Amino acid sequence: MTEGYDSIIEYMRGIGARLEFDRRYPGRKMVEQIAISDKIIRFKAIIPMDDGSIELFQCYRVQHSDTLGPYKGGTRLHPTVNMEEVKALATLMTLKTALAGVPFGGAKGGICVDPRKISVNELERLIRKYTHRLLPEIGPNVDIPAPDVNSGEREMAWMYDEYRKSRESARGVVTGKPLELGGSHGRREATGMGVSIVLLHTLRDLNIHKPTVAIEGFGAVGSHAALDLHGKGLKVVAVSDSKGCVFNPAGLDIVELDAYRASGGTVTGFAGGESIGSIHDADADVFIPCALGLSVNESNVGRVRAKLIVEGANAPVTMEAEKTLTARGVAVVPDILANAGGVIVSYYEWAQNREGLYWDLETVRSRLYNTITEAYTSVTRHAREHGVTMREAAYRLAMDRIARAMAARGAQ
Ligand code: GLU
């Protein structure tokens, strides 16, 4: 489970008060309009398993807001997925797209399943059933799913294929597709690259030189952030996954670690480092949580030794833990800025699908750099000018943008 839904809404209420929404938009209930999800979809998928038995899976899609464009957000496959979590993640998507300035709203999907515990055929049936049930709800101009924890190009290909069976071929119905099906160059590594770009800007602004880095999670986000940072000469001293953590104070060889993980499925047992109990105990200047929510919480925040935390995952630092970190002078770069690279390149994929004109990797990379840098610059400028945290600044900019759009649309 990630950050409780209520604490994000509570946080947004505080921001709404500080942005003086009641005075600026009298009688509009602006915070409520921005914060409360538009539509919540929950259903069960009944799947025949390979052995002839039947299994039930809880499925969710939360369409949080379409004020700035079609609903947009990933599809999480995890045994802890639940409604509150999907609602929170959908809310974060709305804020993320608004902050990045991409023309989407926010949504999130999830299936309560451990994909490692079912066969590939069973997973394909589940994803197709999930997509089929959502046919009336999704579409390139309505709601555009994408990858999230444990879903990637393969699952997006199934979703696209299931959609086109009964709808006009519309490649923009999902993003994060394989290149062969209209995916974009650079989408696979986009979130990790964005984390790396934002981290390098932050290090420069905070005058942190030659930092050591610890990364929690070596999946779609963590591995690409690690590879990019390693390639740029930063010392990544600790990396973890769901099975364990490897540490080397002299710096891990991330290229070798990536090859090791590709062959064995885990970073544990890597000969180029020693095994340690928890990534939170790794001594590093920068901590990049790229796994699930709630990684840094009240129970372990005292152990965090980093000077800087960059949220590669969604909601990895709880609001309570962040208060403690801020009081200790630890800077936290919020998820809606730090991991926006994924949805930014999803936007490029969607735009390329609409145009039927495809861009090369260099074009994608340089546009990603410019877009996320612009978001970073506006957040740090606002934070500096108003003496607030980067999270407060990011939420303010996102909520202000949405409020202006709502007001411009009239009374509705
Ligand atoms: N799941 C990713 C996120 O949380 C990407 C969403 C997308 O590309 O639509 O930002």
Side-chain angles (χ1 to χ4, degrees), residues 296-339:
V296 180
N297 52 50
E298 278 167 275
S299 76
N300 63 16
V301 64
R303 274 156 60 199
V304 172
R305 286 187 261 180
K307 305 193 239 305
L308 169 64
I309 297 181
V310 180
E311 293 188 319
N314 288 313
V317 178
T318 67
M319 298 285 182
E320 281 308 311
E322 182 166 11
K323 283 184 200 150
T324 310
L325 292 166
T326 306
R328 263 171 42 196
V330 178
V332 180
V333 184
D335 45 11
I336 61 169
L337 171 64
N339 71 31

Side-chain angles (χ1 to χ4, degrees), residues 53-340:
S53 66
I54 289 291
E55 205 58 71
L56 266 61
F57 297 93
Q58 288 296 334
C59 301
Y60 307 93
R61 182 81 187 164
V62 173
Q63 296 177 331
H64 179 262
S65 164
D66 67 349
T67 298
L68 297 179
Y71 299 107
K72 183 85 192 82
T75 308
R76 180 167 293 207
L77 310 178
H78 199 273
T80 60
V81 161
N82 63 76
M83 178 70 85
E84 291 308 298
E85 175 186 24
V86 181
K87 271 168 32 181
L89 295 170
T91 312
L92 292 176
M93 284 309 302
T94 298
L95 298 167
K96 195 183 302 186
T97 54
L99 180 66
V102 296
F104 292 133
K108 198 71 154 204
I111 306 178
C112 186
V113 60
D114 185 345
R116 274 165 293 242
K117 294 218 170 108
I118 64 175
S119 73
V120 174
N121 285 335
E122 289 164 344
L123 183 62
E124 180 171 349
R125 284 198 286 278
L126 177 56
I127 296 291
R128 286 184 183 278
K129 183 63 87 56
Y130 178 79
T131 311
H132 188 78
R133 172 64 182 78
L134 287 177
L135 281 181
E137 314 286 351
I138 60 175
N141 297 315
V142 187
D143 183 358
I144 305 138
D148 198 76
V149 174
N150 289 331
S151 69
E153 291 173 22
R154 182 182 63 179
E155 289 74 16
M156 295 309 110
W158 293 334
M159 289 181 90
Y160 162 66
D161 188 62
E162 192 60 32
Y163 182 83
R164 71 177 283 281
K165 276 184 190 167
S166 45
R167 296 284 193 276
E168 194 184 323
S169 172
R171 297 198 147 176
V173 64
V174 289
T175 57
K177 299 180 292 297
L179 278 179
E180 296 77 6
L181 295 177
S184 175
H185 286 292
R187 174 62 184 85
R188 189 182 296 169
E189 62 273 25
T191 312
M193 296 284 294
V195 167
S196 160
I197 295 165
V198 168
L199 169 59
L200 294 177
H201 287 316
T202 314
L203 291 172
R204 186 200 55 222
D205 287 351
L206 296 181
N207 277 317
I208 302 176
H209 302 286
K210 294 189 189 304
T212 52
V213 180
I215 301 183
E216 178 186 36
F218 205 62
V221 183
S223 68
H224 289 291
L227 282 164
D228 195 58
L229 293 169
H230 180 74
K232 293 197 164 107
L234 269 80
K235 213 191 263 184
V236 180
V237 294
V239 168
S240 72
D241 62 19
S242 58
K243 303 215 174 70
C245 179
V246 283
F247 178 69
N248 183 343
L252 294 160
D253 185 327
I254 299 297
V255 177
E256 273 183 23
L257 179 64
D258 191 44
Y260 175 83
R261 189 273 320 252
S263 63
T266 174
V267 299
T268 57
F270 177 60
E274 59 179 290
S275 163
I276 60 166
S278 162
I279 191 83
H280 297 103
D281 296 324
D283 192 4
D285 303 312
V286 179
F287 179 47
I288 314 182
C290 297
L292 295 170
L294 288 182
S295 163
V296 180
N297 52 50
E298 278 167 275
S299 76
N300 63 16
V301 64
R303 274 156 60 199
V304 172
R305 286 187 261 180
K307 305 193 239 305
L308 169 64
I309 297 181
V310 180
E311 293 188 319
N314 288 313
V317 178
T318 67
M319 298 285 182
E320 281 308 311
E322 182 166 11
K323 283 184 200 150
T324 310
L325 292 166
T326 306
R328 263 171 42 196
V330 178
V332 180
V333 184
D335 45 11
I336 61 169
L337 171 64
N339 71 31

